[in-house]
Amino acid sequence: METIIKKLDRNEIDMDIVREAGQILGRGGLVAFPTETVYGLGADALNKDAARKIYEAKGRPSDNPLIVHVADLQALDEIIQNPPEALYELAYQFWPGPLTMIFKKTDIVPYETTGGLETVAVRMPEDLIAREVIIAGGGYISAPSANISGRPSPTTAGHVVEDMDGKIEMILDSGAVEIGLESTILDLTVQPPVILRPGAVTREMLLEVLPEVVSDEMRQITPEGTAPKAPGMKYRHYAPKAPLTIIEGTAKEEVKAIRQIAYEQNRYEKKVGIIATSETADKYPIGVVKTIGARENEKMIARNLYAVLRDFDGEDVDYIYSESFSSEGIGSAIMNRLGKAAGHRIVKAQEITDLQKFRRIIFVSGSGNCRALMAAELLKNCDLKQEYETAARGLVVLFPEPANAKAEEIMRQNGQSLDGYETKAFAEDDLDDDTLILTMEEGQKWKIFSEYEQAKHVYTFYEYIDESEEVASAYGLPLEQYEILYKKLKSMIQKLANRLNEEAQN
Ligand code: TXA
Ligand code: MG
């Protein structure tokens, strides 16, 4: 079938297009349209054949019920029985909007629409195009998310085209949606009401209207292990092609942990995808990094989540790691969807970061322009199991200088380079808990200990690798002495690399 794709502007809705959509729906056809949550795949909710077409187009099991979308409260009279008192207060507060409520259904709602259930889920969307389409289509439009079953819900018309082109009559395109996660589902057929799916209308918001609200996730952890009540929740949920793991900790710990994993996987020639935030995205030197939004802006993260997950399916990555996000407001819905996509694989960042003791290795010499520089550069070129930042410092540096000319010459002769280095004085902020400091001489170590009382992890280089001789300065000596110095440092660095790699194994 040829799918008609039409652009619509919310501020100036072309009613001819809406009428065309209405006619298709009236004939029992399928029209995908935007809502404020995600794009929906619309069909006449009172027409059982239309409902069957939805299941077919989505490849969705037909016992998974659909949400009936309405444009006004009066429409409820025909499709629900014994409306609970709470309905009116909830509708007043949250409709039109991202809240779906479940009631007892009337006979005119076919079982094809409710997946055989006696109850019906109803939502009144806020999106102006959605409302016009519902009215044009007869007032009762069932609309599941317009994705193939098992893929992330579509948040742009492009996503709908990816999944539905050729399978449905029409797609209405109004660009990206506002919220990006499906509506909150609240079951009002039980007391107290139960949240079957978290969304933009949060439990806290519902509690301002209702005296009591239970979330289905809370019920699921009861020992009796009650089955989830929204049948849709029992199906395997969207999982990206590459396994996704959520890393949980403070922002800083998460970055450290994910960097550490990416570095390690990269050594095994595995490609890692990273879901990062705008605050952290530039802290990952390795991996395919996608930014989901700013940490303090949960709404932005919600809006981008599905698009980022879809994007990764187009990338050839072996594993995906995601930072975790705040559970404030819509955050609980974000973490619910992300958790499902990850098959609930959640790892504490600290468990990973604890596996790496040092992240920075600083070599210290007198003027910091020769021995320390050579050592830092040599270590940088070693094959290390873990990622370290290496640096050189001098204890007596009055102004930045380039590397010592003879040191540079010897390094060049050995295929290395000290280009671009500048000397830097050792300073207080070099003393971090995860920094290993190796001095060339004994006296340099004691100088650091005596000047900085917080000094920790400071060793002479030789002592750290169980040798017995300081690395003496070659200053003023002929080039041959620098060659000897180079060879000595090279073998010491190899020993250091071995020790670091051994420690990394544990
Ligand atoms: O935001 C939304 O709700 C979007 C947009 C298009 O409005 N629609 C949507 O529909 O997410 P869908 O079909 O992808 O998800 C509907 C969920 C399913 O998990 C389904 O099992 C549950 O609602 N549901 C529908 N009717 C139900 C009922 N009578 N009892 C329990 N759960 C029901
Ligand atoms: Mg869905």
Side-chain angles (χ1 to χ4, degrees), residues 18 33 54 73 116 131 159 213 216 222 225 232 237 289 333 336 349 365 372 400 476:
V18 171
F33 61 93
I54 283 190
L73 258 187
R131 298 170 64 77
H159 297 160
V213 181
D216 196 40
T222 59
H237 259 263
V289 182
N336 167 274
S365 62

Side-chain angles (χ1 to χ4, degrees), residues 369-370 373 401-409 418 423 474-476 482:
N369 73 346
C370 178
L373 277 188
E401 268 187 291
N404 170 296
K406 286 179 186 163
E408 210 162 349
E409 175 58 24
L418 294 179
T423 56
Y475 186 69
Y482 281 81

Side-chain angles (χ1 to χ4, degrees), residues 38 58 60 64 144-147 149 151-154 182 197 237:
V38 299
K58 278 181 65 80
R60 168 166 168 166
N64 192 355
S145 48
N147 52 287
S149 200
R151 298 212 66 202
S153 296
E182 306 86 343
R197 179 174 75 183
H237 259 263

Side-chain angles (χ1 to χ4, degrees), residues 33-36 69 71 125-135:
F33 61 93
T35 83
E36 70 276 22
H69 292 61
E126 183 170 27
D127 186 282
L128 294 177
I129 295 172
R131 298 170 64 77
E132 293 296 354
V133 169
I134 292 164
I135 295 166

